[in-house]
């Protein structure tokens, strides 16, 4: 017999109770027409699962639609259509509420049916269905839930073990597959690393610190603790439901006893009922204290989770965001962090709902020494405080301010140029599906005299946060059209002139919003990492150097006075970040030999350079001895040169780039004549040269280096074409290309063939001409100068060498573009 049919067989006094809880929230007509279907659905689970509740909501509407189409009576069909429309409007935005209402109605039906049966039961049947049996079953249900949670935790642990073992296995097999000869041969190891076109660069200490097993273990433990908290919340919910059922039974028995005729109150049956009620009240008191104790322990666990692992993960993510901003590994993990924040917030809100239910229980049944009125206010206050701090800390800058024209150099903003930034609220809850107004402010609470320039935001500095489907439905906002303008003063003064360069002045952008939920008003506030404001693009390298230095050396998110006394960096820290500049900006990082050359240039020769300290002024402000530029400006000019003129060659690994002249000679000395390598100029800003090895007639080894090519020449002719067409004139001989093999022995055309661009045209009516890079090399000296690019055909050049003397050729080819 179905449950609904059992209800229909109840006595009138019980049917009146049933009639009491069927109202507009859940019309009895739906219960009547869809009785079998309703009883076959799991409404208890759906009341805690939004996705399942949504599915059941739409299925219920379909069932009503089908019932309407089958109903032959006009009045019934009309009523069903009206009920369907009302139900759809009422629960469309919150299917969870509908599932909870239906679950509660079914539970109330079962309670009334059980109560009616117990009044007719004998002592033997009663002994099998009393509150002790129900409590034992409820305890069993709780233990099964704990076991399921433990199984999930073990599954997560096994998966973590599997991931760790796969990583170990890959690294071990990679190590085994190495050529044994490579392991002790420094020269071979150096050559292979230089010519490798695709190799995994070794992680530096900074990157390793963010990706080691300790971090993974911490994240795994956090995930397990969140899972345990979620399981504990479910157990508490079940406990409160059990309390509710027990109290309803007690209330019904008590009121039934009160309604008895006073003349019957002294018979044995009534006395037994009084004893049973006292036992039930004692059990009810015990269960209330037990539930409150579980809530207290759960709140302590949530507080501990928020104070340590969850906060550590948030701070770790913000630190990794700093590293990503200066070219480090791509930032991931925000979605996982959002999941942890959301699950923790959901747990707090569920505890809050259970405390409200306890309040409802007290309104129905209370007694002397009732623990709920004594302990509930303190628990509510702690839940409110934890919710406040959790949501306040969940307001983060997802993408730091950046000009779209310089995406690889965030946190440097030029006045009058648009920049963008994005924020996210990490707590995602069904209750938080409305818009929040976020306001951006530049240099909020600026201290007088701290900076020499002041700015304000142009454009719309207030926007609404909205649900973003691409970010798992979180609330986010992106400011896309902000720009800065310098504040002008009537008296012409900009402010106090300080000791800092303008590229050392740090500013910040603050974001504010007000968040209201379930009676809590939370003032949200966060800020960007410090930004550098420039007024001319020539200040970009200096501004970017400041961004690098700050985010490398501090995890403070708003130390705007950092450059009043900037700390030094160790070479091991700095070298890793310098390699990131190349990997992020031009697609290929630096190997150990290249970094060693840079370290020697910056610090001189040291046996152990890693722990040597590099000071800010030496890195960016002081000129290299004998040069009119600093180390950073020299390095940045090379990055720009690669980006604009040399990118394919750099990515393919054909440019050795950073190699000293002494090392260059050691590498080429034993090589075949015509072997050459490419390196960056140390004397020019943004210059590249090539050096080749040759032999004189007496067998003496000679090294020749061409004058560096800078952007003025590379704009006219691609560097690969220069290598292909390069010619040298030696003592009136026929011009020859001395470049045969790219170090250590790659044929020139094999290395650069796919990068050749300019080819002679065969369809033109004119005699084709090409630019030929030419150098004149005198036999009496090992040095030479690079001459101009000649716009002539090879045949014409040969004819000129026959008719003109070497002095006339040198005069004619003197370059007006030489630097």
């Amino acid at each position: 017999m179905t449950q609904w049919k059992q209800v229909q067989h109840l006595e009138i006094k019980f049917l009146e109770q049933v009639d009491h809880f069927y109202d507009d929230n859940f019309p009895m007509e739906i219960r009547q027409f869809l009785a079998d279907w309703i009883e076959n659905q799991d409404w208890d689970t759906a009341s805690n699962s939004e996705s399942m509740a949504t599915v059941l909501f739409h299925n219920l509407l379909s069932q009503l639609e089908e019932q309407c189409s089958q109903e032959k009576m006009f009045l019934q069909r009309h009523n069903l259509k009206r009920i369907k429309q009302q139900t759809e409007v009422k629960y469309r935005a919150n299917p969870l509420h509908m599932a909870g209402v239906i679950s509660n109605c079914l539970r109330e039906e079962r309670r009334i049916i059980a109560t009616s049966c117990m009044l007719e039961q004998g002592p033997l049947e009663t002994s099998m269905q009393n509150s002790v049996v129900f409590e034992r079953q409820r305890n069993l249900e709780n233990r099964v839930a704990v076991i399921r949670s433990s199984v999930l935790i073990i599954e997560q642990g096994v998966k973590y073990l599997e991931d760790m073992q796969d990583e170990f296995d890959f690294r071990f097999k990679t190590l085994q597959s190495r050529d044994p000869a490579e392991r002790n041969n420094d020269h071979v190891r150096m050559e292979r690393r230089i010519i490798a076109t695709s190799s995994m660069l070794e992680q530096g200490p900074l990157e390793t610190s963010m990706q080691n097993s300790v971090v993974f273990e911490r994240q795994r433990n956090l995930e397990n603790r969140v899972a345990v908290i979620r399981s504990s919340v479910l157990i508490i919910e079940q406990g409160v439901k059990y309390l509710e059922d027990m109290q309803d039974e007690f209330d019904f028995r008590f009121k039934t006893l009160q309604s008895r005729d006073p003349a019957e109150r002294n018979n044995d049956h009534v006395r037994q009922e009084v004893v049973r009620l006292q036992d039930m009240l004692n059990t009810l008191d015990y269960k209330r204290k037990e539930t409150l104790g579980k809530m207290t322990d759960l709140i302590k666990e949530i507080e501990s989770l928020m104070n340590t692992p969850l906060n550590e993960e948030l701070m770790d993510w913000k630190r990794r965001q700093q590293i990503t901003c200066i070219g480090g590994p791509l930032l991931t993990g925000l979605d996982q962090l959002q999941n942890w924040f959301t699950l923790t917030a959901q747990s707090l809100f569920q505890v809050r709902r259970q405390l409200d239910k306890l309040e409802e229980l007290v309104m129905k049944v209370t007694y002397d020494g009732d623990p709920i009125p004594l302990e509930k206010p303190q628990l509510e206050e702690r839940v409110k405080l934890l919710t406040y701090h959790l949501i306040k800390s969940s307001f983060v800058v997802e993408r730091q301010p950046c000009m779209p024209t310089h995406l690889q150099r965030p946190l440097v903003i030029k006045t009058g140029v648009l920049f963008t930034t994005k924020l996210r609220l990490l707590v995602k809850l069904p209750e938080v599906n409305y818009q929040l107004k976020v306001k951006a402010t530049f240099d909020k609470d600026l201290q007088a005299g701290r900076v020499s320039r002041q700015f304000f935001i142009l454009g719309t500095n207030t926007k609404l946060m909205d649900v973003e489907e691409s970010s798992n439905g979180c609330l986010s906002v992106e400011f896309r059209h902000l720009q800065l303008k310098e504040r002008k003063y009537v008296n012409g003064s900009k402010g106090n002139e300080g000791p800092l360069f303008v590229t050392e002045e740090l500013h910040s952008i603050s974001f504010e919003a007000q968040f209201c939920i379930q009676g809590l008003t939370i003032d949200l506030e966060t800020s960007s990492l410090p930004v550098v404001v420039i007024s001319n693009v020539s200040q970009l390298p200096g501004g970017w150097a400041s961004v690098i230095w700050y985010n490398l050396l501090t995890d403070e998110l708003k130390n705007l006075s950092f450059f009043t006394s900037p700390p030094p960096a160790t070479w091991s820290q700095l070298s890793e970040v310098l390699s990131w500049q190349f990997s992020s900006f031009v697609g290929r990082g630096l190997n150990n030999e290249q970094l060693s050359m840079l370290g020697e240039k910056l610090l001189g020769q040291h046996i152990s350079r890693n722990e040597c300290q590099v000071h800010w002024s030496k890195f960016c402000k002081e000129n290299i001895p004998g040069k009119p530029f600093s180390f950073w400006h020299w390095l940045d000019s090379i990055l720009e040169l690669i980006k604009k003129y040399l990118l394919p060659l750099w990515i393919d690994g054909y440019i050795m780039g950073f190699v000293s002249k002494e090392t260059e000679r050691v590498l080429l000395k034993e090589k075949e004549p015509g072997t050459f390598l490419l390196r960056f100029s140390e004397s020019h800003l943004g210059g590249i040269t090539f050096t080749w090895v040759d032999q004189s007639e007496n067998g003496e080894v000679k090294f020749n280096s061409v004058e560096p090519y800078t952007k003025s020449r590379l704009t006219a002719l691609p560097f690969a074409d220069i290598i292909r067409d390069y010619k040298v004139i030696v003592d009136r001989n026929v011009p020859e290309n001395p470049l045969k093999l790219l170090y250590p022995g790659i044929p020139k055309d094999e290395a650069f063939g796919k990068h050749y661009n300019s080819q002679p045209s065969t369809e033109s009516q004119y005699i084709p001409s090409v630019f030929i890079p030419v150098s004149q090399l005198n036999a009496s000296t090992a040095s030479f100068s690079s001459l101009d690019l000649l716009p002539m055909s090879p045949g014409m050049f040969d004819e000129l060498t026959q008719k003109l003397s070497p002095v006339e050729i040198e005069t004619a080819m003197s370059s007006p573009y030489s630097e």
Side-chain angles (χ1 to χ4, degrees):
M1 184 182 295
T2 64
Q3 182 172 310
W4 185 243
K5 287 184 178 179
Q6 292 181 56
V7 169
Q8 292 173 319
H9 285 83
L10 293 174
E11 297 178 14
I12 294 297
K13 62 179 181 180
F14 295 116
L15 288 175
E16 289 177 352
Q17 295 180 39
V18 173
D19 183 63
H20 178 71
F21 54 78
Y22 279 106
D23 52 20
D24 290 341
N25 287 325
F26 186 37
M28 191 176 292
E29 289 87 344
I30 297 179
R31 183 69 178 96
Q32 170 69 28
F33 284 106
L34 304 181
D36 292 341
W37 181 83
I38 288 173
E39 292 175 25
N40 288 326
Q41 313 307 313
D42 188 356
W43 298 101
D44 290 340
T45 302
S47 64
N48 292 300
S49 171
E50 186 172 6
S51 60
M52 186 174 178
T54 303
V55 171
L56 288 180
F57 169 66
H58 290 293
N59 288 346
L60 185 140
L61 295 178
S62 299
Q63 291 287 331
L64 286 175
E65 183 69 33
E66 182 179 351
Q67 192 68 35
C68 285
S69 63
Q70 296 175 358
E71 182 58 51
K72 296 180 180 180
M73 294 182 63
F74 173 75
L75 183 60
Q76 288 284 27
R77 186 165 63 250
H78 171 77
N79 289 339
L80 280 173
K81 285 182 178 180
R82 178 178 52 80
I83 291 170
K84 174 181 175 294
Q85 291 172 353
Q86 291 174 346
T87 304
E88 184 174 6
V89 171
K90 189 175 188 66
Y91 295 118
R92 181 170 50 203
N94 193 356
L96 274 175
H97 182 51
M98 181 202 73
V101 168
I102 297 177
S103 173
N104 185 63
C105 288
L106 294 176
R107 185 171 61 251
E108 286 296 311
E109 287 179 5
R110 290 192 293 270
R111 181 186 65 78
I112 293 172
I113 292 171
T115 303
S116 68
C117 292
M118 291 184 71
L119 293 178
E120 302 171 1
Q121 291 169 356
L124 185 58
E125 186 176 356
T126 302
S127 68
M128 295 186 292
Q129 297 185 3
N130 59 21
S131 59
V132 176
V133 176
F134 292 145
E135 182 177 352
R136 187 180 67 223
Q137 292 172 345
R138 183 66 64 179
N139 288 336
L140 177 60
E141 197 170 322
N142 290 345
R143 293 183 66 180
V144 169
V146 172
I147 290 171
R148 289 292 301 151
S149 173
S150 301
V151 169
L152 291 175
I153 293 171
I154 291 172
E155 285 180 351
Q156 292 167 348
V158 171
K159 188 177 184 303
Y160 173 59
L161 273 176
E162 186 179 5
D163 294 341
M164 183 187 295
Q165 181 170 309
D166 287 344
E167 181 183 358
F168 171 81
D169 187 51
F170 172 77
R171 290 179 177 273
F172 182 73
K173 288 179 179 176
T174 302
L175 183 63
Q176 281 186 318
S177 64
R178 292 225 176 153
D179 185 350
E182 291 184 32
R183 297 173 189 171
N184 298 313
N185 189 328
D186 293 338
H187 185 72
V188 173
R189 184 168 62 246
M190 183 169 115
E191 285 189 353
R192 288 185 179 271
R193 190 172 294 159
I194 290 170
I195 67 173
T197 59
S198 60
S199 60
M200 184 180 295
L201 298 177
E202 295 179 0
Q203 291 182 343
L206 193 56
E207 186 173 352
T208 302
S209 69
M210 296 186 295
Q211 297 181 359
N212 59 23
S213 59
V214 175
V215 175
F216 295 142
E217 183 65 28
R218 187 184 68 214
Q219 292 174 347
R220 185 65 59 182
N221 288 338
L222 174 58
E223 197 163 323
N224 290 344
R225 289 182 66 177
V226 170
V228 170
I229 286 173
R230 295 295 298 156
S231 174
S232 300
V233 170
L234 293 177
I235 291 172
I236 287 174
E237 284 186 343
Q238 292 169 350
V240 172
K241 284 181 182 178
Y242 175 59
L243 265 177
E244 190 175 7
D245 292 343
M246 182 188 295
Q247 182 170 303
D248 286 344
E249 182 184 353
F250 172 83
D251 187 47
F252 176 78
R253 286 178 176 273
F254 182 75
K255 289 178 179 178
T256 302
L257 184 63
Q258 281 186 318
S259 65
R260 290 278 182 108
D261 187 343
E264 300 179 12
R265 295 183 181 178
N266 292 322
N267 63 36
D268 292 339
H269 181 73
V270 172
R271 283 196 292 270
Q272 290 176 3
E273 185 66 16
V274 170
V275 172
R276 186 180 296 120
L277 283 172
Q278 185 60 53
D279 289 340
M280 288 182 69
L281 185 61
N282 291 339
T283 304
L284 191 65
D285 180 66
Y286 171 77
K287 281 297 180 182
R288 285 187 173 187
K289 291 177 179 177
E290 182 184 55
T291 301
L292 289 168
K294 288 180 179 179
M295 284 186 174
T296 302
D297 293 340
L298 177 60
I299 292 170
K300 286 181 181 178
E301 175 60 19
I302 293 176
E303 185 175 14
S304 173
L305 180 83
M306 287 173 51
N307 290 339
T308 45
L310 191 59
N311 184 63
E312 285 177 2
E313 282 302 317
L314 179 61
M315 292 299 103
D316 183 67
W317 180 85
K318 290 182 177 180
R319 178 57 180 157
R320 284 186 283 119
Q321 186 184 51
Q322 285 185 271
I323 297 305
T324 299
C325 283
I326 57 176
L330 291 176
L331 181 63
T332 59
L334 188 59
D335 287 342
Q336 179 62 69
L337 194 60
Q338 176 182 303
N339 184 53
W340 290 328
F341 266 84
T342 297
L343 291 176
T344 305
Q346 286 175 344
S347 298
L348 285 170
F349 278 97
Q350 284 177 280
V351 171
R352 174 76 177 270
R353 283 196 294 269
Q354 299 311 310
L355 286 170
D356 290 341
K357 284 188 178 181
L358 291 182
E359 180 67 26
E360 293 174 6
L361 295 182
V362 170
M363 293 174 66
K364 293 179 181 179
V365 175
T366 189
Y367 47 88
D368 291 339
D370 188 348
I372 294 178
L374 296 175
E375 299 182 30
K376 177 179 170 288
Q378 291 86 351
L379 294 179
E380 276 186 329
E381 194 60 34
R382 290 177 65 186
V383 169
K384 277 187 180 180
L385 190 62
L386 291 175
T387 304
Y388 176 87
H389 287 297
L390 182 70
I391 295 178
K392 194 174 180 66
S393 63
S394 73
F395 190 46
V396 298
V397 180
E398 180 179 350
R399 189 170 64 245
Q400 293 293 334
C402 180
M403 296 185 292
T405 53
H406 295 80
L407 293 175
Q408 292 157 325
R409 295 193 167 181
L411 301 172
V412 180
I413 301 173
K414 182 178 179 296
T415 53
V417 175
L418 293 178
F419 66 93
T420 68
T421 185
K422 185 177 180 181
L423 295 97
R424 188 195 288 198
L425 190 69
L426 297 180
V427 172
K428 183 189 71 170
L429 292 171
E431 294 91 340
V432 192
N433 57 0
Y434 53 88
Q435 298 172 334
L436 293 176
K437 185 180 290 186
V438 180
K439 181 181 179 181
T441 307
F442 195 81
D443 273 346
K444 182 186 177 185
D445 304 324
L446 178 66
Q447 297 178 357
R450 191 182 62 76
V451 295
S452 61
R453 305 168 301 157
Q454 295 185 23
F455 305 89
F456 61 93
I457 294 176
L458 287 177
T460 305
N461 69 333
T462 301
K463 286 196 72 173
L464 293 173
M465 294 190 87
D466 208 346
V467 175
E468 183 180 28
E469 295 300 330
S470 61
S471 299
N472 298 321
C474 72
L475 284 172
S476 65
V477 60
E478 183 174 9
F479 291 90
R480 296 183 180 180
H481 305 290
L482 299 178
Q483 55 180 306
L484 297 178
K485 184 175 177 62
E486 188 170 355
R487 194 181 301 279
K488 302 298 182 181
Y489 295 89
V490 176
N491 58 10
S493 173
K494 291 186 178 182
N496 298 328
E497 295 293 336
L500 300 179
F501 292 169
V502 294
T503 53
E504 296 174 316
E505 290 184 353
L506 301 180
H507 307 263
S508 72
I509 305 173
S510 301
F511 304 94
E512 298 172 294
Q514 193 172 77
F515 184 90
C516 299
I517 185 169
Q518 294 193 0
L520 277 176
T521 299
I522 305 170
D523 292 321
L524 302 175
E525 183 174 356
T526 189
S527 61
S528 69
L529 290 169
V531 299
V532 175
V533 182
I534 61 175
S535 55
N536 191 293
V537 74
S538 63
Q539 297 170 326
L540 182 61
W544 181 238
S546 297
V547 170
I548 290 174
W549 206 261
Y550 181 93
N551 290 286
L552 169 63
L553 295 177
T554 181
D555 56 5
E556 294 182 75
L557 302 179
K558 201 176 177 180
N559 182 5
L560 303 183
S561 302
F562 177 82
F563 283 102
T564 56
S565 181
T570 64
W571 173 247
S572 63
Q573 291 175 311
L574 186 58
S575 61
E576 185 176 6
V577 177
L578 293 182
S579 180
W580 290 346
Q581 303 313 298
F582 284 82
S583 60
S584 64
F585 197 66
V586 291
R588 185 185 179 90
L590 304 179
N591 59 34
N592 288 338
E593 285 70 30
Q594 292 167 325
L595 289 171
S596 178
M597 182 271 180
L598 292 178
E600 185 176 326
K601 187 173 184 64
L602 188 60
L603 296 168
Q605 293 184 346
H606 291 273
I607 297 176
S608 178
R609 192 180 294 116
N610 281 345
E611 297 309 313
C612 288
Q613 290 189 336
V614 181
H615 292 274
W616 166 243
S617 57
K618 189 173 184 65
F619 174 71
C620 185
K621 300 173 74 172
E622 298 174 2
N623 288 342
I624 298 173
K627 302 293 187 298
F629 45 78
S630 68
F631 173 84
W632 169 248
H633 284 80
W634 169 72
L635 197 65
D636 184 73
S637 69
I638 291 173
L639 281 166
E640 287 292 331
L641 186 76
I642 295 173
K643 184 75 171 180
K644 293 181 179 178
Y645 305 105
L646 307 171
L647 191 59
L649 304 183
W650 174 259
I651 291 176
D652 283 351
Y654 293 140
I655 300 176
M656 187 175 294
F658 299 103
V659 55
S660 65
K661 293 181 179 180
E662 294 77 11
T663 304
E664 176 186 68
R665 298 193 173 208
V666 171
L667 295 175
L668 292 175
K669 185 175 182 180
E670 302 298 328
K671 294 299 178 181
E672 183 180 338
T675 302
F676 67 100
L677 56 77
L678 311 177
R679 66 177 178 85
F680 299 117
S681 170
E682 297 181 58
S683 57
H684 292 69
L685 279 178
I688 187 169
T689 184
F690 44 81
T691 301
W692 72 90
V693 63
D694 201 356
Q695 284 187 345
S696 62
E697 294 179 357
N698 59 9
E700 181 183 355
V701 176
K702 297 189 298 181
F703 304 97
N704 302 310
S705 297
V706 73
E707 184 181 352
Y709 289 89
T710 57
K711 63 180 181 180
S712 60
R713 295 186 179 184
L714 295 176
T715 301
L717 193 63
F719 193 55
D721 289 4
I722 291 175
I723 294 171
R724 179 192 61 190
D725 299 330
Y726 181 74
K727 297 290 191 296
V728 169
I729 303 174
V730 181
D731 289 342
R732 303 182 64 180
N733 292 329
V734 176
E736 293 183 355
N737 189 331
L739 309 178
K740 308 297 182 185
L741 301 170
L742 178 66
Y743 180 87
I746 306 173
K748 175 184 63 178
D749 291 338
E750 179 183 324
F752 300 103
K754 64 180 179 180
H755 302 298
Y756 295 155
N757 288 329
S758 59
Q759 299 293 338
S761 174
T762 58
E763 299 179 0
S764 174
Q765 59 178 323
Y766 299 103
I767 297 175
S769 63
V770 294
F771 285 105
I772 303 175
V774 180
S775 296
Q776 181 168 333
L777 182 63
N778 297 323
S780 59
T781 177
S783 62
F784 66 94
S785 61
S786 173
L787 302 181
D788 196 13
L789 302 176
L790 301 181
M792 63 180 70
S793 66
M796 184 184 295
F797 181 78
D798 291 339
E799 185 177 349
L800 285 176
T801 57
Q802 295 176 6
K803 295 181 179 180
L804 299 177
S805 68
V807 175
E808 290 172 322
I809 291 177
E810 184 174 359
T811 302
M813 296 195 310
S814 296
S815 173
Y817 306 105
S818 299
E819 298 183 6

